[in-house]
Amino acid sequence: MSRSKSSYQAFIAATTLLVASSLPGTAQDDDALVKRGEYLMNGPVACGNCHDTRAEDMSPVPGKEFAGGFRIVDTGIDAYAANITQDAETGIGTWTDEEIITAIREGTTPEGDIIFPPMPVPSYNMMSDDDVKAIVAYLRTVKGVHNEVPESTYGFPQQPMPPAKGEPAPDPSDQVAYGGYIVNALSHCFECHTGPDANGVPDFANALGAGGFMIQLAPGAVVSTPNITSDPETGLGKWSDEDIKKAITQGVRPDGTHLSPPMPFPFFANMTPEDLDAVVAYVRTIPPIVNKVERTEFQKTAFP
Ligand code: HEC
Ligand code: HEC
């Protein structure tokens, strides 16, 4: 796939259309903030899916949570996930809270560098102030790991996201709206599961959730994302709620086959039952799109 300047701009324009609705939130004390951040990062937000240091076999290296170095290669992109531990030299230990928040939701560093794609900053742009502060509060508690990460290179001009609105998340009692907030602003399901346009970037306007997006895990290891719309034949229309939950949390389909990375199911396994229910309720509302996606040979052989 290629990300030319114009297709990249279309990608940004399209992603800014994904807007979560909002209701007033509540203030939280410091402990509650750290706990919320820990839950978000180990659960629905799954920053470690990219930021944990990984061994050759893709498994996270113990003691190197968030220490970076995972390489993501795509047309025009050769990116290394940054060290986001508190190490002052190689991590973000000297950054202010505001600087970290700006990096997450708008995609710029204090030096003015732009850090995405592939980091799903367009999704995080919709994150509430409470949740982004909780993530920073938790990051402050993670021990610093000294790990120098190579520089990322981009073969196209990057653009930051506009200033985040920071609107409160919908009230969890509105299950579909809250599920939409998790899916769109936290778990960035659509940045992987939306079908590509002619330029290979997710076509949010026409193929939301339709799958068929190609992700390269390593040279020769390409995976395709499935259709998660409610189409009964090519999507999840005939799956039960339990089927969807089992795929999301255990990485196992109704037919017993296994999901490949980068689907973050080891993180989604830590979601609360209420949040999972909300995700499923929202996923049920994704308008059906007929699009049969074949798994790649790599997926079929490595994750039967
Ligand atoms: C799809 C992979 C991916 C996900 C998910 C992701 N990131 Fe990143 N992130 C990256 C990459 C790659 C870079 C480095 C970009 C560069 O060097 O230009 C980065 C850079 C950063 C930086 C800048 C650090 C620096 O030293 O420049 C911060 C802060 C950050 N990410 C925080 C987060 C947080 C917090 C989350 C979860 C809310 C997250 N990221 C989720 C891939 C990801
Ligand atoms: C980083 C990319 C990524 C993200 C984020 C992601 N997925 Fe996935 N997902 C995948 C890939 C790749 C597969 C297919 C793996 C395979 O076929 O081996 C998959 C598989 C699935 C499946 C199984 C469907 C089928 O027909 O086999 C479901 C259901 C699913 N994802 C739902 C979700 C939901 C809901 C979210 C957000 C909460 C989400 N995914 C976030 C990449 C992702």
Side-chain angles (χ1 to χ4, degrees):
M1 52 183 272
S2 86
R3 284 190 171 100
S4 64
K5 182 169 186 233
S6 61
S7 69
Y8 180 63
Q9 280 162 348
F11 172 59
I12 295 302
T15 48
T16 52
L17 292 175
L18 292 168
V19 179
S21 55
S22 64
L23 286 168
T26 53
Q28 290 160 306
D29 64 49
D30 285 358
D31 274 0
L33 207 60
V34 171
K35 272 189 107 175
R36 171 77 180 158
E38 180 174 20
Y39 168 69
L40 289 171
M41 298 205 43
N42 294 324
V45 185
C47 310
N49 203 37
C50 289
H51 283 282
D52 287 349
T53 303
R54 289 179 185 268
E56 289 272 289
D57 68 355
M58 298 274 301
S59 62
V61 179
K64 289 199 151 185
E65 287 76 21
F66 307 122
F70 179 59
R71 186 180 183 188
I72 301 165
V73 181
D74 199 344
T75 309
I77 299 176
D78 189 354
Y80 294 86
N83 179 343
I84 57 169
T85 71
Q86 286 297 296
D87 185 59
E89 270 173 52
T90 62
I92 56 172
T94 60
W95 294 29
T96 65
D97 289 2
E98 266 319 307
E99 286 169 343
I100 301 174
I101 288 173
T102 302
I104 297 170
R105 293 198 304 198
E106 283 142 46
T108 53
T109 68
E111 295 82 43
D113 290 330
I114 301 173
I115 58 170
F116 73 102
M119 176 153 150
V121 176
S123 294
Y124 299 155
N125 193 255
M126 297 177 270
M127 205 184 282
S128 73
D129 284 344
D130 283 351
D131 282 348
V132 80
K133 283 180 191 160
I135 286 173
V136 172
Y138 176 64
L139 273 175
R140 295 288 187 211
T141 71
V142 175
K143 80 169 164 62
V145 177
H146 193 88
N147 185 35
E148 191 82 58
V149 170
E151 289 236 348
S152 304
T153 56
Y154 303 89
F156 49 83
Q158 296 162 277
Q159 277 181 306
M161 287 299 289
K165 294 202 186 80
E167 285 167 359
D171 193 278
S173 65
D174 186 343
Q175 208 183 36
V176 171
Y178 193 69
Y181 173 74
I182 298 175
V183 164
N184 287 292
L186 303 182
S187 302
H188 62 90
C189 314
F190 288 129
E191 292 211 20
C192 289
H193 281 282
T194 294
D197 67 10
N199 295 308
V201 297
D203 185 354
F204 297 109
N206 303 302
L208 190 73
F213 190 69
M214 293 295 179
I215 301 172
Q216 183 172 316
L217 287 179
V222 176
V223 305
S224 60
T225 59
N227 181 341
I228 58 165
T229 72
S230 45
D231 181 60
E233 300 308 325
T234 64
L236 303 178
K238 284 184 184 157
W239 291 37
S240 70
D241 289 358
E242 286 312 312
D243 290 341
I244 298 176
K245 287 184 204 174
K246 195 171 172 195
I248 294 177
T249 60
Q250 294 172 39
V252 179
R253 291 192 184 75
D255 66 4
T257 52
H258 298 265
L259 304 191
S260 69
M263 171 71 184
F265 58 86
F267 293 86
F268 294 164
N270 297 319
M271 273 201 245
T272 62
E274 294 76 23
D275 280 5
L276 263 180
D277 284 339
V279 166
V280 172
Y282 177 80
V283 164
R284 295 280 185 212
T285 70
I286 304 171
I289 297 176
V290 179
N291 184 36
K292 185 156 176 50
V293 178
E294 296 290 349
R295 298 178 82 207
T296 62
E297 280 312 312
F298 165 77
Q299 277 166 303
K300 285 193 258 184
T301 37
F303 302 92

